């Protein structure tokens, strides 16, 4: 079917003619055949019937008279060469005459005709005469019919073939038009020299010529559109490159442009300049004023011929000549910072002095990374600038911190944050009454990582709260089946994080351990975040929790704040306890703390009790509890009751 759909028009026309002619021819042939056959058979039957009628009266009379020798009476019939058989029987079926000429057989179909013999007087049936007549004439007539229709069929196919040639000849202009159109190209004009003038072909040619004119018009329009698009694309490409490589606010090249320039231009001495306290400027004057200040700083750095880049926020970068010695670079940076400090910038009709910190990487293979390391170092040591020094191992420490951060995160996922518990004994009885919860990371090989190695890093990577929540969960569920009190260390950020505080409250309620929990808080964090810590302590005490101040006695110890926070325990710093038997000053401080605690009715805990002599001294001084390697090392506990 698909092949016929895709066939040429001449083929389709020829196939249609053949199909229609075949239907008509077959219909006429069948009708004629039936008519001729019936007519021929009827004629033959009529001949046979006439022959019977010629002898029928004589035969009927002979049968009526009882004459059985009737051969002569039917001789007019039997002498006919077309007669194959003549049979006469009486009414009882007895055969009176059965005539068959010698060798009477016919290769043709035979026609049989029977008639009833009637008694002359009574007109009653007295017998039956049957004539078998040769169908030779019928067969010959039909053979002539078949021959005639064979020639008619051949004539029809010859006529159809001639018509096919004529159709192809008539459709030749379409082929010529197709060949010309097939090679058509915009901008060229086709000339149709068709050898016929039929109206249909003239219409087709006219349609193609009209199409050519429109194509030429559209081509011209498209060419104009393409030129405009090329201009727009070029402009947008430049604009995209500008957005990709340049800062929208200051119009300075950005970090990506600097990275590309570092790859293409071998100048690997880079300085990063960060504006000090820029957040305070934004908070005080507003973000719009801060942006205006950044544009002024960018303009000033450009005036200083530094070819600056803006890396984002309040951070700028510029490259320095590698022909300069490290001493000359330091000198130039000092002059730059001095000029920047003296420069007055305007914000909302007010003059502002700007200070900045600079990190420098000299001839570095990782200039941006190393300059950033130097910048962070300068901030940490509170110096105006710093030069990266590989021998200091700062980058290695950063990498170690990153690795530790990943290790902490993996330990949280794999539940390898574990707790050990250090006993706290009563100085009066010497029995274990409390435990301090100490967090560890358990490595895959079973070794433990101490908290000093990962807690400071976790505070910088926002993982600290997750560790705190895990420690509270483990400790509370462990001591839910024990009777001792237990302490857990909390940071100021823990107490100010609403999610952590809610988690702690839920765990305390679920385990029913609130009346045996002691939360240890660093004194310094309590003073710095007094309001938040006071609010947290109030919520915890409402549940029955006790509060201890850890490392009390170092730095600035504010007794007034201790009274306001309503704490229950003071843990005396280990630096005082460790040398209490050797340093009289430390002994005096400890005695003062113990006396203060006794007066306000709270307990004391001596940390770092590492010997029997220290334990005896703190006991004699009235310290309530002792904690240290001498009284008990950190260990894992079983959940069962002791």
């Amino acid at each position: 079917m698909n092949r016929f759909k895709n066939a040429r028009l001449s083929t389709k026309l020829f196939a249609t003619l053949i199909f229609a002619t075949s239907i008509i021819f077959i219909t006429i042939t069948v009708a004629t055949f039936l008519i001729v056959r019936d007519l021929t058979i009827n004629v033959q039957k009529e001949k046979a019937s006439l022959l019977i009628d010629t002898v029928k009266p004589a035969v009927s009379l002979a049968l009526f008279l009882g004459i059985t020798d009737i051969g002569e009476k039917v001789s007019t019939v039997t002498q006919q060469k077309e007669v194959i058989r003549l049979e006469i029987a009486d009414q009882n079926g007895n055969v009176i005459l059965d005539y068959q000429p010698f060798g009477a057989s016919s290769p043709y179909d035979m026609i049989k005709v029977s008639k009833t013999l009637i008694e002359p007087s009574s007109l009653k049936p007295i017998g039956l005469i049957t004539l078998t007549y040769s169908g030779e004439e019928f067969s010959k007539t039909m053979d002539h019919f078949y021959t005639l229709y064979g020639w008619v069929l051949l004539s029809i196919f010859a006529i159809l073939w001639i018509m096919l040639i004529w159709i192809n000849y008539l459709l030749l202009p379409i082929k010529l038009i197709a060949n010309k159109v097939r090679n058509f190209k915009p901008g060229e004009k086709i000339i149709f020299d068709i050898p016929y003038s039929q109206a249909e072909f003239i219409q087709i040619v006219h349609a193609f010529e009209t199409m050519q004119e429109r194509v030429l018009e559209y081509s011209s329009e498209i060419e104009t559109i393409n030129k405009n698009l090329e201009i727009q694309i070029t402009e947008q490409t430049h604009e995209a490159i500008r957005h990709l490589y340049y800062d929208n606010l200051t119009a300075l090249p950005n970090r990506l442009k600097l990275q590309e320039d570092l790859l293409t231009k071998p100048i690997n001495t880079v300085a990063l300049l960060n504006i000090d306290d820029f957040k305070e400027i934004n908070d005080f004057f507003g973000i719009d004023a801060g942006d205006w200040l950044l544009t002024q700083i960018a303009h000033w750095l450009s005036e200083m011929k530094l070819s600056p880049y803006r890396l984002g926020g309040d951070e700028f970068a510029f490259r320095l000549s590698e022909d300069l010695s490290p001493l000359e670079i330091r000198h130039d940076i000092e002059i730059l910072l001095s000029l920047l400090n003296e420069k007055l910038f305007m914000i909302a009709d007010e003059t502002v002095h700007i200070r900045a910190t600079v990190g420098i990487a000299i001839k570095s293979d990782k200039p941006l990374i190393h300059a950033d390391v130097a910048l962070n170092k300068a901030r940490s040591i509170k110096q105006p600038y710093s030069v990266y020094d590989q021998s200091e191992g700062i980058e290695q420490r950063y990498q170690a911190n990153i690795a530790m951060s990943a290790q902490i995160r993996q330990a949280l996922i794999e539940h390898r944050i574990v707790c050990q518990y250090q006993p706290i004994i009563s100085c009066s009885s010497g029995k274990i009454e409390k435990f301090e919860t100490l967090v560890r990371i358990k490595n895959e090989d079973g070794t433990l990582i101490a908290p000093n190695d990962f807690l400071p890093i976790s505070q910088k990577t926002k993982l600290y709260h997750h560790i705190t929540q895990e420690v509270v969960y483990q400790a509370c569920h462990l001591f839910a089946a024990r009777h001792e009190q237990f302490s857990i260390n909390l940071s100021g950020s823990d107490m100010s994080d609403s999610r952590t505080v809610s988690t702690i409250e839920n765990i305390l309620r679920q385990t029913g351990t609130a009346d045996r929990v002691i939360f240890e808080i660093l004194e310094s964090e309590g003073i710095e975040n007094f309001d938040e810590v006071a609010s947290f302590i109030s919520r915890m005490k409402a549940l029955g929790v006790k509060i201890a101040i850890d490392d009390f006695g170092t730095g600035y110890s504010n007794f007034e704040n201790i009274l306001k926070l309503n704490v229950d325990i003071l843990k005396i710093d280990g630096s005082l306890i460790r040398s209490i038997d050797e340093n009289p000053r430390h002994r005096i401080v400890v005695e003062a703390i113990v006396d203060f605690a006794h007066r306000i009715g709270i307990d004391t805990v001596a940390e770092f009790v590492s010997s029997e002599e220290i334990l005896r001294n703190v006991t004699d001084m009235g310290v309530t509890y002792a904690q240290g390697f001498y009284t008990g090392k950190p260990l894992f506990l079983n959940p069962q009751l002791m």
Side-chain angles (χ1 to χ4, degrees), residues 530 534 537-538 541 545-549 560-569 600 602:
F530 183 84
I537 290 175
S538 177
K541 279 187 164 293
V545 174
K546 288 183 171 56
I547 303 297
I549 296 298
E560 182 181 359
N561 284 334
I562 298 302
L563 294 173
K564 289 180 179 179
L565 292 173
N566 191 23
V567 300
D568 303 287
I569 300 171
I600 63 174
I602 63 176

Side-chain angles (χ1 to χ4, degrees), residues 519-533:
F519 285 135
E520 297 186 13
I521 303 168
L522 285 175
E523 179 195 3
S524 58
E525 294 195 6
I527 293 172
E528 292 174 0
N529 306 283
F530 183 84
D531 292 337
E532 291 179 345
V533 173

Side-chain angles (χ1 to χ4, degrees), residues 52-53 55-57 59-64 70 74 85-99 112-119 124-132:
I52 291 174
D53 288 342
V55 298
K56 180 180 175 182
V59 173
S60 296
L61 181 61
L63 288 178
F64 175 72
I70 56 175
V74 295
R85 184 178 183 180
L86 178 65
E87 182 179 1
I88 300 173
D90 60 16
Q91 61 181 358
N92 296 322
N94 298 318
V95 177
I96 298 172
L97 176 67
D98 185 4
Y99 170 76
K112 183 181 289 187
V113 179
S114 297
K115 284 193 176 185
T116 304
L117 298 173
I118 304 300
E119 183 181 338
K124 292 180 180 179
I126 58 174
L128 183 69
I129 182 170
T130 301
L131 177 64
T132 302

Side-chain angles (χ1 to χ4, degrees), residues 347-453:
I347 298 180
D349 297 330
E350 293 189 24
T351 57
V352 178
H353 285 279
I354 295 299
R355 292 185 177 275
T357 303
V358 176
I360 309 164
I362 300 176
K363 296 181 180 179
S364 170
D365 58 340
K366 301 176 182 177
L368 278 179
I369 295 175
H370 292 165
D372 189 59
V373 170
L375 178 62
N376 289 328
K377 177 189 173 184
R379 285 174 175 167
S380 63
I381 63 177
K382 297 182 179 180
Q383 292 294 321
Y385 71 91
S386 176
V387 178
Y388 175 78
D389 186 351
Q390 187 174 2
S391 63
E392 294 177 349
I394 299 175
E395 185 179 7
Q396 287 74 14
R397 288 200 297 274
Y398 284 170
Q399 292 174 349
N401 289 346
I402 293 172
M404 177 56 71
S405 175
Q407 192 171 357
I408 295 169
R409 194 180 302 276
Q410 195 65 25
L412 283 166
I413 294 172
E414 297 176 358
H415 303 289
R416 289 190 286 106
I417 300 294
V418 298
C419 294
Q420 288 187 319
Y421 304 90
Q422 186 171 27
I424 300 174
I425 68 168
S426 170
C427 290
S428 58
S429 66
K431 294 181 179 180
I432 298 174
E433 294 188 4
K434 309 177 192 293
F435 287 91
E436 180 179 358
T437 305
L438 302 173
V439 66
R440 308 281 190 262
I441 288 180
K442 188 176 183 179
N443 289 321
E444 294 179 355
D445 61 0
T447 58
L448 300 177
I449 301 176
N452 290 339
D453 294 333

Side-chain angles (χ1 to χ4, degrees), residues 34 52 70-71 236 254 419 620:
L34 294 175
I52 291 174
I70 56 175
Q236 291 180 3
N254 58 18
C419 294
D620 292 342

Side-chain angles (χ1 to χ4, degrees), residues 254-412:
N254 58 18
R255 179 185 292 272
L256 187 61
K257 186 68 168 72
L258 175 58
Q259 291 172 336
E260 187 172 295
D261 289 346
L262 288 172
L263 292 174
T264 57
K265 301 175 183 177
I267 299 178
N268 293 329
T269 298
V270 175
L272 297 185
L273 184 146
N274 186 268
I275 308 301
D276 295 340
D277 302 321
F278 187 74
K279 183 178 182 299
E280 284 72 14
I281 295 174
N282 266 340
D283 293 341
F284 186 79
F285 292 101
I287 295 177
D288 292 339
D291 289 345
W292 169 240
L293 178 61
L294 289 174
T295 59
Q296 293 183 70
I297 295 171
H299 182 69
W300 181 81
L301 291 173
S302 298
E303 286 182 338
M304 299 300 293
K305 308 299 183 184
L306 294 174
S307 300
Y309 301 78
R310 187 190 176 204
L311 304 189
D314 57 350
E315 191 167 80
F316 296 86
F318 48 90
R319 297 196 291 170
L320 302 169
S321 173
E322 294 190 339
D323 295 333
L324 299 175
S325 66
L327 185 61
E328 290 172 324
I329 291 174
R330 289 173 183 270
H331 178 68
D332 288 348
I333 293 299
E334 288 173 357
I335 292 175
L336 176 69
L337 291 175
S338 177
L339 292 173
L340 180 61
N341 293 340
E342 295 173 0
K343 172 69 177 175
L344 294 178
F345 295 95
M346 299 297 297
I347 298 180
D349 297 330
E350 293 189 24
T351 57
V352 178
H353 285 279
I354 295 299
R355 292 185 177 275
T357 303
V358 176
I360 309 164
I362 300 176
K363 296 181 180 179
S364 170
D365 58 340
K366 301 176 182 177
L368 278 179
I369 295 175
H370 292 165
D372 189 59
V373 170
L375 178 62
N376 289 328
K377 177 189 173 184
R379 285 174 175 167
S380 63
I381 63 177
K382 297 182 179 180
Q383 292 294 321
Y385 71 91
S386 176
V387 178
Y388 175 78
D389 186 351
Q390 187 174 2
S391 63
E392 294 177 349
I394 299 175
E395 185 179 7
Q396 287 74 14
R397 288 200 297 274
Y398 284 170
Q399 292 174 349
N401 289 346
I402 293 172
M404 177 56 71
S405 175
Q407 192 171 357
I408 295 169
R409 194 180 302 276
Q410 195 65 25
L412 283 166

